[in-house]
Amino acid sequence: MNIRNYNIYFNTHTISGIIICALLYVIFFAGSFSFFRDEISAWQKNRSAYAHQASANDYDYLLDSLHAAHNLQGRDITFYVQDNNVQAYVNMGTSQDTTIKKKANGQQVQRRGRRGRGNDDSAYFQYDFKQNKAGSYAESYDMGEFLYRLHFLAQLNQVPIRIGTPFGYLVAGIVSFLFLFALITGLLLHWDKLVSNFFTFRPWSKWKTVWTDMHTALGVIGFPFQLMYAVTGIVLIVNTALILPFSKLLYDGNSEKLYAALGYNDASTYEYRYQPLGDRVALNPYLKQVNERWPGSHVNRVYIKNYGDESMHVILEAVPSVKANFAGSGKITIHPATQSIIYEKSPTTSVTYLDRVKALIYRLHFGDFGGYPVKATFFVLGIMGCVVIISGILIWLVARDKKNIPLHKRRFNFWASNVFIAICLTMLPVTALTFIAIKLNPAADQAFIYRVYFYSWLALSLLYVARRNLRVTNKETLLIGALLGLCVPIVNGVKTGNWMWKTYLTGALDIFLIDLLWLVIGIVCLIAVYRIRLDTKKMHVPKRTISTLKEAVSSE
């Protein structure tokens, strides 16, 4: 490779990487835990989804309860069933029957949750089929949802910046694009010596050499995984944020039609006839019918159009098990008035091009196609991505600690690295602390999780930024994270009585897995702290590097 191309790849890889490093670390760290989103939810609520699988969800009980509080006649009702088949988000629209009056006392039911749009008699809430309990989105919020949404920076949507698309999603999309750019330039940068550098690791050399070897070796190992996540992440974030402006051009501003064309919802409408059905429509038999027709499939969407009217239609969408069909999706439309099936698309035999593309992207991104072995592998690869990011920051810092670089630039480089390292490495103890906090407070909701996580993250980050010692930041965050991580299964056992051996023997594998995960994390971090102490004594540390860094920080 000629020197000009090398310099181009090196500079573009370095600049793009250092711009996004902190946000990319947050995405990878939170995303790694998001593979166990349902397990984290079960752990927090102390309710194993595996124990619930024997019984079917009772949709009729929920509809009867809703009808007692609201007149459901003429409404559109949608159930977004979660993968664990225990919780579902329920979206209840306003009635199309103009003869139905609002409550006599004039009170209006405010639409609750993240999709609230004002005061009307619609509603949006989460329902737990096992507990037969409903709650608003904020009340039902859990740690699994928090980490899942953090991994695409959804919390930044609350920043009051109005640019036509959610701010957090836009930032995540930009980070994904720059990450893909950094991956490609990094591959080109190391292409000529890819094999030799991969097998080179010099743990007893100077720090810059160790970090460089680690960055290269782990980067090569995780490159296919990281490339896959960069591409699928871009596609997913484009669907949620960057594609919205095109709805104005292609669908006259109707984003619902756009998402319906992409298969994300059902936008079909039926003319309301003002002819009520004589008998109450039972939804459970339709679910049973689908399970019999498509055994092993999971119903993930239930749409009710014009409830209680002769024009009422029930639309059920399902996805098959991975063993039956990797890329299938099923849909069946039933007309209760005539008990006839209007439309049917099998999830195992009728697979469209759109089904294949969506399944490839979603299953690869969420790792839901191979059970716990795949999730565990993806978790490890995600954490390896975090290590690559940290080593890249350290390489960038040491490479710019030279006598020919002006003092003010070295001071800026150190402070930038100091801030990035503090923000990144404190995520581990903060996450473990929040797990403990939500277990000690069974009533933890969205506001509680936000306060504990973000306030403790801010406090720890400021503390280590003020201390100005990268080595201490690394060692102490690992040690605190290890101790808090080991406390997670202990606190769970003391608080709930569900010790690890008990959840394993009773088959509550989702709860057992989270305790095991934190136990392994704690042990690995303790080993890392021990190795750091040993290596610090044996490894040669350049005195000039330390002295110049201190000079860059303390000199005025």
Side-chain angles (χ1 to χ4, degrees):
M1 182 185 301
N2 62 63
I3 190 65
R4 180 176 181 273
N5 289 341
Y6 180 87
N7 288 334
I8 291 174
Y9 298 149
F10 179 82
N11 290 325
T12 52
H13 177 75
T14 303
I15 293 173
S16 59
I18 205 66
I19 290 174
I20 65 173
C21 60
L23 289 175
L24 189 62
Y25 186 96
V26 173
I27 291 173
F28 264 93
F29 187 89
S32 298
F33 280 90
S34 296
F35 292 123
F36 305 103
R37 174 188 179 186
D38 292 335
E39 288 76 13
I40 293 173
S41 299
W43 181 89
Q44 178 178 342
K45 297 173 182 177
N46 198 33
R47 297 195 298 269
S48 174
Y50 290 95
H52 179 68
Q53 289 182 345
S55 59
N57 293 336
D58 192 349
Y59 287 85
D60 291 336
Y61 177 85
L62 173 57
L63 290 175
D64 290 342
S65 301
L66 285 176
H67 195 63
H70 315 275
N71 190 343
L72 298 184
Q73 185 69 29
R75 296 180 187 267
D76 289 350
I77 306 172
T78 304
F79 300 89
Y80 301 95
V81 187
Q82 302 302 294
D83 292 337
N84 57 20
N85 205 37
V86 175
Q87 286 92 20
Y89 290 107
V90 184
N91 187 6
M92 184 179 67
T94 58
S95 177
Q96 297 190 52
D97 194 329
T98 58
T99 64
I100 297 178
K101 297 180 180 180
K102 293 182 179 180
K103 293 183 178 181
N105 58 8
Q107 292 182 350
Q108 295 176 330
V109 179
Q110 184 175 357
R111 186 182 181 90
R112 299 181 296 173
R114 56 181 174 179
R115 302 185 183 182
R117 296 179 181 176
N119 292 328
D120 53 32
D121 62 344
S122 61
Y124 181 82
F125 58 92
Q126 188 187 66
Y127 185 78
D128 190 311
F129 285 101
K130 186 176 181 180
Q131 296 282 316
N132 289 328
K133 181 181 178 181
S136 68
Y137 177 75
E139 294 169 346
S140 305
Y141 200 83
D142 55 45
M143 194 62 185
E145 180 76 0
F146 173 81
L147 291 172
Y148 168 71
R149 294 183 64 78
L150 182 62
H151 103 275
F152 51 89
L153 308 179
Q155 285 80 359
L156 290 180
N157 293 341
Q158 300 180 19
V159 175
I161 298 179
R162 303 291 178 261
I163 51 178
T165 190
F167 178 69
Y169 298 161
L170 179 62
V171 173
I174 294 173
V175 171
S176 298
F177 275 110
L178 291 177
F179 178 46
L180 179 61
F181 188 70
L183 283 175
I184 295 174
T185 54
L187 181 66
L188 294 174
L189 182 65
H190 296 286
W191 184 258
D192 290 344
K193 297 183 179 180
L194 191 65
V195 176
S196 60
N197 287 347
F198 175 74
F199 289 100
T200 300
F201 188 67
R202 293 155 287 185
W204 311 119
S205 184
K206 57 184 179 180
W207 282 108
K208 182 179 181 295
T209 303
V210 175
W211 295 328
T212 302
D213 292 346
M214 182 186 302
H215 187 79
T216 304
L218 295 182
V220 172
I221 294 174
F223 179 82
F225 173 83
Q226 294 166 9
L227 180 65
M228 178 266 292
Y229 263 85
V231 174
T232 57
I234 289 173
V235 173
L236 291 175
I237 207 67
V238 164
N239 284 339
T240 56
L242 303 183
I243 202 171
L244 289 177
F246 291 96
S247 66
K248 298 180 180 180
L249 176 64
L250 302 176
Y251 291 87
D252 298 325
N254 192 336
S255 59
E256 297 295 330
K257 289 185 178 180
L258 174 61
Y259 286 120
L262 293 174
Y264 293 107
N265 60 23
D266 187 278
S268 58
T269 59
Y270 302 92
E271 183 180 357
Y272 195 75
R273 300 179 182 177
Y274 291 91
Q275 297 180 7
L277 295 173
D279 300 326
R280 181 182 68 87
V281 178
L283 195 58
N284 289 341
Y286 298 137
L287 273 296
K288 182 178 180 182
Q289 181 180 355
V290 168
N291 291 331
E292 292 175 351
R293 297 173 77 92
W294 305 331
S297 62
H298 166 64
V299 175
N300 60 347
R301 297 286 188 274
V302 179
Y303 303 94
I304 300 177
K305 308 287 185 177
N306 301 346
Y307 181 89
D309 187 69
E310 191 178 79
S311 61
M312 175 180 175
H313 285 71
V314 176
I315 303 170
L316 305 172
E317 294 182 357
V319 292
S321 63
V322 179
K323 295 181 180 179
N325 194 333
F326 181 86
S329 66
K331 185 175 183 179
I332 184 169
T333 303
I334 302 172
H335 186 211
T338 59
Q339 292 295 313
S340 58
I341 297 178
I342 305 301
Y343 173 82
E344 181 177 3
K345 174 180 175 291
S346 173
T348 55
T349 58
S350 303
V351 182
T352 64
Y353 172 78
L354 182 61
D355 291 335
R356 298 184 188 279
V357 173
K358 286 172 57 180
L360 182 65
I361 294 172
Y362 274 82
R363 294 198 183 280
L364 287 178
H365 193 83
F366 294 105
D368 62 350
F369 56 89
Y372 286 143
V374 170
K375 288 186 176 183
T377 302
F378 277 24
F379 177 87
V380 173
L381 290 172
I383 298 300
M384 283 174 51
C386 295
V387 176
V388 171
I389 294 170
I390 295 298
S391 60
I393 296 174
L394 297 175
I395 294 171
W396 178 83
L397 172 63
V398 176
R400 283 154 182 77
D401 177 40
K402 299 178 181 178
K403 291 183 178 180
N404 61 334
I405 297 178
L407 181 60
H408 70 277
K409 290 185 178 181
R410 280 184 285 152
R411 185 184 298 120
F412 172 81
N413 293 340
F414 175 82
W415 276 107
S417 301
N418 187 34
V419 171
F420 289 159
I421 292 294
I423 292 174
C424 295
L425 295 185
T426 52
M427 280 194 75
L428 174 61
V430 166
T431 303
L433 175 65
T434 310
F435 268 78
I436 295 174
I438 61 177
K439 183 56 64 173
L440 295 176
N441 179 21
D445 57 4
Q446 183 178 20
F448 178 83
I449 294 175
Y450 274 30
R451 286 196 302 269
V452 173
Y453 199 95
F454 289 126
Y455 286 162
S456 60
W457 193 7
L458 176 63
L460 274 181
S461 297
L462 292 177
L463 172 64
Y464 285 110
V465 167
R467 294 185 67 175
R468 300 177 300 179
N469 192 320
L470 304 185
R471 189 179 303 167
V472 170
T473 301
N474 180 38
K475 185 168 62 176
E476 289 189 358
T477 52
L478 278 175
L479 180 59
I480 297 173
L483 297 178
L484 290 175
L486 293 175
C487 288
V488 170
I490 297 175
V491 171
N492 182 40
V494 172
K495 185 68 177 179
T496 66
N498 278 336
W499 297 95
M500 291 182 62
W501 55 86
K502 183 177 179 180
T503 53
Y504 178 78
L505 294 176
T506 57
L509 295 181
D510 41 9
I511 298 177
F512 168 80
L513 182 66
I514 299 304
D515 285 336
L516 178 63
L517 178 65
W518 277 111
L519 180 63
V520 172
I521 291 175
I523 294 174
V524 171
C525 289
L526 284 179
I527 295 174
V529 172
Y530 176 73
R531 293 295 303 175
I532 288 174
R533 290 182 175 179
L534 288 182
D535 294 342
T536 302
K537 297 178 180 179
K538 298 179 181 179
M539 190 176 298
H540 171 67
V541 182
K543 295 182 179 179
R544 188 191 63 81
T545 299
I546 297 177
S547 61
T548 52
L549 284 178
K550 289 183 178 180
E551 178 187 8
V553 176
S554 58
S555 298
E556 298 294 337

